């Protein structure tokens, strides 16, 4: 086993492990076959498993996700790729109306064990229609589980959990992390959905982050440590199920909370998290909660403009510094 | 062709009786709605019976069926009982979906009737997926999507046809063309004369038109096209021409329809057409009347049973979101 693995390799490795384990796992999506995916996140799958298990589709997002749903309802465990998360809007009916509701409105008759994978977020200069962090869209829909790993090992472990889940999972792979390297995952590595990870311990403030914002929060924490502020960093890993217990336990230690979100402030997951804290953990707080989130504008193209919109290490450091002085 | 040589009189009589049960169930649904016992809305399929019954007669029991919000007839033709369906419409615990679905979502998964979908056209790709699954599992099952003429102008219709064609999947698309897209004549909003069949050549698949009010013609067409799908020759599209007896939904009196058009189609009622075929096969009129009486009795009993069934336990509102049976969004 290699000493390190990239996030993009982890995606393909995570899928491959499940395809080896379970013949019901099949993949479909645009350019995922011999091409290996536009982000090379399915590289090697076609060569190992062949055209009978890795299916190239037309540019037909409704057909991709609709067909995945039909297959999931009838005994398969499809893994569908929607190339960029912005394109989820093209098949939003399936994500908002069909997949998450069919179990409920049939009184539990139908199970939909599928995974919709998608490349999420900014940082690569793709402009407003290929750069959004859209995990908050899915968050508004009852019936979808939402995974957003930040490390290669978590990609593999959470992919295993997502594919084995009898519930539909939207799996956000962050474009800005694809080249990131990390420890490989041991054999049979499974990270249960809905378990946040404390990735840095600290006594002064809790930073809660997701996906690409985890390394931003960790870097900010290192900078803050130089000033004598010890931040605890939580990688939320999943939005549904939401691990509020880990957050409240951390708050009991630190008494201060900052959420770090790439999605826009309006409607972002941090709003849900801080409302739980306000409801159930108000007594744990010694200061107001703070949210660092994207501005409510489309993602601009130029780096200098994008930095104005999405959270940066500087923005997090400034917010935390202000809060600890409260 | 005056009759189907492979349909025996007894078989046709059974299909007739199924249609009679559906017709009476739809009438009961209408009456219950008007008397305030069915809330929300209903989209009745009275007039479309021959399509559901004829197609079902041509399918295997384990084939997959997907329907629209106008899908009572498909649920009934695929094995749901009038009592289950009416209880669902009347918000009873004994309803087909535990009263969580309602008229627009009748589903009988144990019979592979995998649902009625109320977003127009959404279920066509699902049927493609079920057909793909059948092929992956090597089962020789096929999937059938029933949909209305209005769905032919939805993007998912075209995406589904193309994907089914390029992957050569065992799926049959059956359009119930009842001439109206809700309240608007389909011809007023569609660029081709036959909204489904005329589009089939664009995807390189067969597109046939059938008299959707003739159960025998439907049974024959679906037998042929299903056999083609099962043999590995890919998808096809069947446009069944039919007519709604009621309006689009609820109490829509459908006054926008020309009287002579309504009269012409009511004279071509699928039950009458089937009666004519039964007479041709030598089935005595009294035998057909007995079938009618059985259907009437069955539906009357179903109405009474559904009326007397309990309301759902309110706690059921918080079950069935997830596969573990619950609805928790936090760990």
């Amino acid at each position: 086993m290699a000493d390190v693995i990239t996030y993009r390799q982890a995606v393909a490795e995570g899928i491959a492990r499940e395809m080896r384990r379970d013949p019901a796992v099949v993949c479909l999506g645009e350019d995922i076959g011999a091409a290996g995916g536009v982000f090379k996140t399915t590289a090697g799958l076609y060569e190992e498993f062949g055209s009978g298990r890795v299916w190239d589709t037309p540019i037909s997002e409704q057909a991709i996700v609709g067909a995945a749903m039909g297959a999931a309802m009838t005994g398969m465990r499809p893994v569908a790729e929607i190339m960029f998360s912005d394109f989820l809007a093209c098949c939003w009916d399936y994500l908002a109306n069909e997949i998450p509701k069919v179990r409920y409105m049939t009184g539990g008759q139908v199970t939909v064990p599928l995974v919709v994978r998608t490349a999420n977020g900014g940082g690569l200069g793709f402009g407003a229609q290929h750069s959004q962090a859209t995990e908050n869209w899915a968050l508004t829909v009852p019936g979808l589980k939402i995974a957003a790993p930040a490390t290669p090992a978590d990609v593999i472990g959470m992919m295993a959990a997502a594919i084995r889940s009898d519930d539909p999972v939207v799996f956000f792979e962050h474009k800005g992390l694809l080249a990131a390297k990390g420890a490989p995952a041991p054999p049979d590595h499974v990270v249960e959905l809905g378990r946040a990870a404390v990735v840095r311990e600290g006594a002064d403030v809790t930073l809660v982050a997701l996906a690409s914002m985890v390394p931003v929060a960790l870097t900010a924490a290192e900078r803050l440590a130089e000033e004598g502020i010890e931040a605890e960093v939580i990688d939320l890993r999943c939005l549904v199920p939401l691990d509020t217990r880990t957050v409240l336990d951390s708050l009991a230690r630190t008494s201060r909370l900052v959420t770090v979100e790439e999605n826009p402030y309006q409607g972002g997951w941090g709003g849900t998290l801080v409302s739980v804290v306000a409801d159930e953990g108000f007594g744990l707080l010694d200061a107001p909660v703070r949210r660092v989130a994207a501005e409510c504008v489309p993602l601009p193209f130029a780096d200098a403009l994008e930095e104005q919109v999405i959270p940066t290490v500087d923005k997090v450091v400034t917010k935390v510094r202000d809060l600890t002085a409260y | 062709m005056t009759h189907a040589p492979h349909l025996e009189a007894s078989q046709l009589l059974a299909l007739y009786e199924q249609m009679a049960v559906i017709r009476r169930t739809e009438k009961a649904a209408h009456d219950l709605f008007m008397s305030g016992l069915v809330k929300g809305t209903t989209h009745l399929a009275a007039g479309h019976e021959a399509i559901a019954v004829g197609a079902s007669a041509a399918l295997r029991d384990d084939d997959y069926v997907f329907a629209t919000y106008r899908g009572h007839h498909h649920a009934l033709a695929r094995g749901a009982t009038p009592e289950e369906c009416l209880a669902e419409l009347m918000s009873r615990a004994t309803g087909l979906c535990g009263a969580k679905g309602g008229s627009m979502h009748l589903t009988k998964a144990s019979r592979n009737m995998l649902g009625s979908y109320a977003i127009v056209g959404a279920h066509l790709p699902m049927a493609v997926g079920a057909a793909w699954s059948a092929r992956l599992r090597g089962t020789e099952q096929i999937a059938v999507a029933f949909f209305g003429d209005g769905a032919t102008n939805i993007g998912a219709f075209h995406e589904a046809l193309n994907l089914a064609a390029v992957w050569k999947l065992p799926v049959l698309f059956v359009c119930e063309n009842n001439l109206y897209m809700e309240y608007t004549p389909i011809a007023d909003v569609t660029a081709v004369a036959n909204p489904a069949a005329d589009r089939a050549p664009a995807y390189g698949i067969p597109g046939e038109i059938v008299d959707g009010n003739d159960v025998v013609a439907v049974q024959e067409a679906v037998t042929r096209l299903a056999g083609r799908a099962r043999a590995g020759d890919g998808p096809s599209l069947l446009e069944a021409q039919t007519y709604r007896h009621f309006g689009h939904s609820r109490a829509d009196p459908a006054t926008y329809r020309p009287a002579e058009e309504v009269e012409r189609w009511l004279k071509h009622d699928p039950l009458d057409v089937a009666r004519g075929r039964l007479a041709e096969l030598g089935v005595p009129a009294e035998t057909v009347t007995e079938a009618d009486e059985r259907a009437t009795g069955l539906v009357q009993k179903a109405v009474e049973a559904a009326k007397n069934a309990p309301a759902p336990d309110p706690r059921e509102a918080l079950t069935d979101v997830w596969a573990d049976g619950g609805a928790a969004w936090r760990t």
Side-chain angles (χ1 to χ4, degrees):
Chain A
M1 191 182 291
D3 290 341
V4 292
I5 182 173
T6 65
Y7 188 102
R8 86 169 77 244
Q9 289 169 329
V11 174
E13 172 67 16
I15 299 167
R17 288 185 183 189
E18 291 308 300
M19 291 183 78
R20 289 174 201 134
R21 199 184 61 80
D22 182 355
V25 180
V26 287
C27 296
L28 72 165
E30 298 159 19
D31 302 319
I32 68 162
V38 293
F39 297 110
K40 301 299 173 201
T41 45
T42 54
L45 297 182
Y46 184 83
E47 289 72 17
E48 181 173 352
F49 301 102
S51 59
R53 299 200 47 202
V54 182
W55 292 63
D56 273 326
T57 67
I59 299 174
S60 300
E61 279 82 8
Q62 295 186 62
I64 294 167
V65 180
M69 179 181 174
M73 294 162 76
T74 53
M76 305 304 293
R77 288 191 177 262
V79 179
E81 178 177 310
I82 295 299
M83 193 183 283
F84 285 76
S85 68
D86 314 71
F87 309 164
L88 291 175
C90 299
C91 49
W92 192 238
D93 178 48
Y94 293 91
L95 289 156
N97 282 319
E98 315 298 341
I99 290 165
K101 289 179 181 167
V102 70
R103 159 171 281 280
Y104 189 82
M105 67 189 191
T106 63
Q109 294 181 60
V110 180
T111 302
V112 191
L114 62 76
V115 177
V116 177
R117 305 171 34 240
T118 191
N120 193 42
L124 297 186
F126 285 135
Q129 295 183 336
H130 288 69
S131 299
Q132 297 166 94
T134 66
E135 67 277 358
N136 58 321
W137 297 358
L139 184 62
T140 65
V141 181
L144 296 177
K145 291 188 171 170
I146 304 171
T151 68
D154 275 0
V155 166
I156 290 172
M158 290 166 68
M159 187 70 78
I163 292 174
R164 296 177 197 185
S165 167
D166 288 333
D167 295 311
V169 180
V170 187
F171 198 93
F172 289 95
E173 298 156 11
H174 201 284
K175 293 194 289 290
L177 296 174
L178 288 172
K181 292 174 180 168
D188 303 320
H189 185 54
V190 180
V191 176
E192 185 186 350
L193 300 179
R195 293 268 178 234
V198 177
V199 292
R200 185 187 194 282
E201 293 186 350
D204 298 325
V205 59
T206 297
L207 304 185
V208 183
L210 186 76
S212 67
M213 291 297 111
V214 174
V216 168
L218 284 168
T219 306
E222 294 306 316
R223 291 253 304 271
L224 289 160
E226 294 166 9
E227 303 174 16
I229 300 168
E230 290 299 335
E232 183 146 299
V233 179
I234 293 175
D235 176 355
L236 210 46
R237 301 204 283 203
C238 273
L239 296 181
V240 179
L242 186 65
D243 184 356
T244 53
R245 187 75 260 153
T246 295
V247 175
L248 290 165
D249 287 349
S250 175
L251 264 183
R253 294 187 289 272
T254 66
S255 77
R256 283 174 166 77
L257 173 67
V258 177
T259 61
V260 189
E261 303 161 66
E262 186 178 333
N263 53 216
Y265 186 98
Q266 175 74 324
W269 57 260
T272 297
L273 192 65
V274 301
S275 76
V276 171
V277 169
D279 262 357
E280 301 169 26
F282 189 73
L284 302 173
L285 294 169
D286 284 335
V289 295
R290 294 282 186 246
R291 293 177 59 202
V292 186
E295 301 291 342
C296 295
V297 301
L299 260 287
F301 168 64
D303 289 348
L305 299 177
E306 193 178 74
E307 281 178 17
Q308 289 298 307
V309 173
I310 60 178
T312 60
V313 171
D314 284 346
K315 289 180 195 175
V316 176
V317 166
T318 303
K319 192 75 86 177
V320 173
R321 199 185 281 144
D322 292 350
L323 186 64
T324 50
Y326 178 85
Chain B
M1 183 178 296
T2 54
H3 64 88
H6 58 288
L7 261 191
E8 302 286 338
S10 60
Q11 293 172 310
L12 182 54
L13 186 66
L15 300 189
Y16 174 83
E17 190 166 332
Q18 264 195 301
M19 292 199 293
V21 168
I22 294 171
R23 175 66 55 87
R24 282 156 180 76
T25 305
E26 292 292 60
K27 178 68 167 55
H30 177 264
D31 294 346
L32 290 165
F33 181 85
M34 290 310 209
S35 62
L37 287 170
V38 172
K39 67 164 197 167
T41 190
T42 54
H43 302 80
L44 302 176
H48 293 211
E49 296 89 348
I51 300 168
V53 170
S56 289
L59 297 176
R60 278 181 8 186
D61 283 348
D62 63 345
D63 287 334
Y64 298 110
V65 164
F66 294 79
T68 75
Y69 57 86
R70 193 184 310 284
H72 298 173
H73 54 327
H74 296 298
L76 290 161
R78 293 303 280 175
T81 66
E83 184 180 331
E84 289 172 318
C85 294
L86 291 170
E88 183 70 22
L89 268 59
M90 292 164 70
S91 303
R92 308 298 177 174
T94 54
L96 202 47
C97 306
K100 282 183 177 166
S103 166
M104 292 197 277
H105 302 296
L106 296 185
T107 300
K108 181 92 174 177
S110 62
R111 300 291 189 96
N112 282 356
M113 194 284 172
L114 289 181
S116 317
Y117 296 86
I119 307 294
V120 169
H123 59 299
L124 275 67
M126 294 176 214
V128 172
W132 180 46
S133 162
R135 180 158 138 199
L136 288 164
R137 290 178 289 110
T139 63
E140 294 187 352
Q141 292 162 288
I142 73 165
V144 183
F146 295 98
F147 55 97
D149 42 277
T152 62
N153 292 320
I154 297 290
F157 168 82
H158 299 276
E159 292 195 17
L161 259 62
N162 183 61
L163 190 65
V166 293
W167 287 3
K168 219 172 177 184
L169 296 175
V171 54
L172 176 55
F173 301 97
V174 180
C175 176
E176 301 186 7
N177 181 0
N178 61 22
L179 309 187
Y180 288 85
M181 180 213 71
E182 301 194 354
Y183 298 73
T184 302
I186 190 68
D188 289 359
V189 293
T190 306
V192 292
N194 303 295
D198 289 354
R199 264 77 175 254
Y203 300 102
I205 66 174
E208 294 189 15
I209 293 175
V210 69
D211 178 354
N213 284 11
D214 181 349
V215 70
V216 173
V218 172
Q219 191 267 351
E220 286 176 349
V222 173
T223 298
R224 191 171 60 254
L225 296 175
R228 186 179 178 281
R230 232 181 285 283
D233 293 332
S236 47
L237 204 164
L238 182 64
E239 181 170 334
Q241 295 174 330
T242 187
Y243 205 67
R244 286 188 321 233
H245 285 192
F246 293 97
H248 165 63
S249 64
R250 303 183 67 189
D252 166 26
T255 50
Y256 43 83
R257 302 194 299 195
E260 60 275 19
E261 177 188 284
V262 176
E263 191 184 345
R264 187 169 72 248
W265 277 96
L266 289 182
K267 276 186 188 159
H268 193 55
D269 182 307
L271 291 169
D272 292 341
V273 173
R275 277 192 206 101
R277 286 193 175 275
L278 286 164
E280 283 175 24
L281 290 174
V283 176
E286 42 288 15
T287 304
V288 179
T289 304
E290 284 165 16
D292 281 325
E293 286 166 355
R294 283 194 298 272
T296 302
L298 178 71
V299 174
Q300 277 173 348
K301 272 188 198 158
V303 169
E304 287 313 307
K307 275 184 180 170
N308 293 326
D313 184 333
R315 286 174 295 190
E316 288 294 315
L318 298 181
T319 64
D320 290 330
V321 172
W322 306 118
D324 67 5
W329 56 278
R330 295 168 58 178
T331 52

